């Protein structure tokens, strides 16, 4: 089964870019990469997703390597409100999302 | 437009009692999911409803867990004879599945129900 690996925790200075890596070396050709985040005591929030091209929206940018075996979520100017657990998810068969334990990002003032 | 809502937001129950958790998806969303998140852990898929198709129950941990959904509206997750290990946050999500593009579907999550079994 396709699986993702993320560092358990990261720190980032406020105002700097936060770069969150994710490895998904067993990804299949028709699987998308999704990123969600979960702020303490809230439900997960969708951030961005992509297949093979880099994607950007108002929240973040997603960089996917050419071989699709890894990706990086970039928060261009991290704020204290970006402190959360960030989940990198590869879409499996059917419509299920399998969440790992994610990366706990702490934005430091 | 309201998002996904869940009730109750918190539930404390005694071991052995039954509990019902409710999810109101975003209007018009055809797919509905239930997840469980234990303290300090990631999300664990439980069950998935899509339109009138038979639900995917592959994530239900035991026969004490069941869920129903009426049409494309409210869903209820029932846990019978609760155990202490059932203590967790139960999250519901909904999405709009467009034929031919299910791979890029985005789920919208509710705030969750925090269940504590004493």
């Amino acid at each position: 089964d396709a699986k993702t690996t993320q560092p358990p925790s990261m720190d980032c200075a406020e105002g700097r870019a936060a770069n969150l890596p994710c490895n998904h070396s067993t990804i299949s050709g028709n699987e998308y990469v999704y990123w969600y985040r979960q702020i303490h005591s809230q439900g997960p929030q969708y951030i961005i997703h992509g297949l093979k091209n880099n994607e950007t929206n108002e929240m973040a940018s997603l960089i996917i390597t050419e071989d699709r075996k890894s990706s990086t979520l970039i928060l261009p100017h991290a704020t204290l409100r970006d402190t959360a657990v960030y989940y990198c998810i590869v879409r499996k068969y059917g419509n299920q999302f399998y969440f790992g334990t994610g990366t706990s990002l702490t934005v430091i003032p | 437009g309201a998002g996904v809502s869940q009730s109750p937001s918190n539930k404390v129950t005694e071991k052995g009692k039954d509990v019902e958790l409710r999810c109101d998806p975003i209007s018009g969303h055809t797919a509905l999911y239930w997840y469980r998140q234990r303290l300090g852990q990631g999300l664990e898929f439980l069950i998935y409803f899509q339109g009138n198709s038979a639900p995917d129950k592959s994530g239900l941990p035991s026969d004490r867990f069941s869920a129903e959904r009426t049409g494309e509206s409210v869903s209820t997750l029932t846990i019978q004879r609760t155990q202490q290990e059932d203590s967790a946050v139960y999250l519901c999500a909904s999405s709009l599945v467009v034929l031919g593009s299910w791979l890029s579907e985005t789920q919208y999550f509710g705030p969750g129900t925090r269940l504590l079994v004493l």
Side-chain angles (χ1 to χ4, degrees):
Chain A
D1 293 338
K3 208 173 163 180
T4 61
T5 304
Q6 299 176 253
S9 63
M10 291 181 65
D11 293 338
C12 177
E14 187 178 17
R16 303 295 294 270
N19 297 289
L20 292 91
C22 180
N23 286 322
H24 31 79
S25 59
T26 60
I27 192 171
S28 299
N30 61 354
E31 288 179 318
Y32 280 70
V33 179
Y34 281 78
W35 283 84
Y36 281 74
R37 73 180 182 184
Q38 189 171 21
I39 295 169
H40 183 60
S41 298
Q42 298 182 22
Q45 176 190 23
Y46 166 79
I47 301 174
I48 199 167
H49 75 279
L51 182 62
K52 50 186 174 182
N53 297 324
N54 297 337
E55 303 288 343
T56 295
N57 63 21
E58 64 279 3
M59 288 183 69
S61 295
L62 173 61
I63 308 299
I64 302 174
T65 57
E66 194 170 339
D67 63 8
R68 301 187 69 237
K69 293 186 176 182
S70 66
S71 61
T72 301
L73 177 74
I74 302 172
L75 308 178
H77 305 286
T79 71
L80 298 179
R81 287 175 295 180
D82 292 323
T83 293
V85 178
Y86 288 77
Y87 295 95
C88 168
I89 303 147
V90 170
R91 189 72 172 282
K92 300 184 69 169
Y93 70 91
N95 289 322
Q96 299 169 10
F97 285 80
Y98 287 82
F99 291 75
T101 52
T103 295
S104 178
L105 174 70
T106 301
V107 180
I108 301 167
Chain B
V4 178
S5 62
Q6 293 184 244
S7 60
S9 54
N10 293 281
K11 177 72 176 178
V12 181
T13 191
E14 293 179 349
K15 178 181 171 181
K17 295 283 180 69
D18 297 352
V19 295
E20 273 191 2
L21 312 180
R22 177 186 168 108
C23 173
D24 283 90
I26 293 173
S27 177
H29 278 193
T30 54
L32 187 146
Y33 305 74
W34 282 98
Y35 295 88
R36 176 171 71 176
Q37 187 174 31
R38 290 189 167 123
L39 186 64
Q41 299 186 19
L43 273 70
E44 175 186 5
F45 166 76
L46 297 178
I47 188 169
Y48 160 62
F49 296 90
Q50 165 53 23
N52 295 320
S53 302
D56 178 352
K57 304 179 181 181
S58 61
L60 294 178
S62 77
D63 58 8
R64 295 187 296 105
F65 288 72
S66 63
E68 292 184 351
R69 187 183 187 196
T70 306
E72 294 183 352
S73 60
V74 172
S75 174
T76 302
L77 176 69
T78 301
I79 309 174
Q80 295 178 308
R81 304 181 303 280
T82 52
Q83 304 293 315
Q84 289 180 332
E85 64 262 27
D86 299 334
S87 296
V89 176
Y90 289 82
L91 288 153
C92 173
S94 72
S95 66
L96 177 61
V97 177
V98 177
L99 287 179
S101 64
W102 61 267
L103 279 173
S104 63
E105 155 214 352
T106 299
Q107 296 185 13
Y108 296 87
F109 284 80
T113 293
R114 284 151 188 79
L115 175 65
L116 177 62
V117 182
L118 300 176

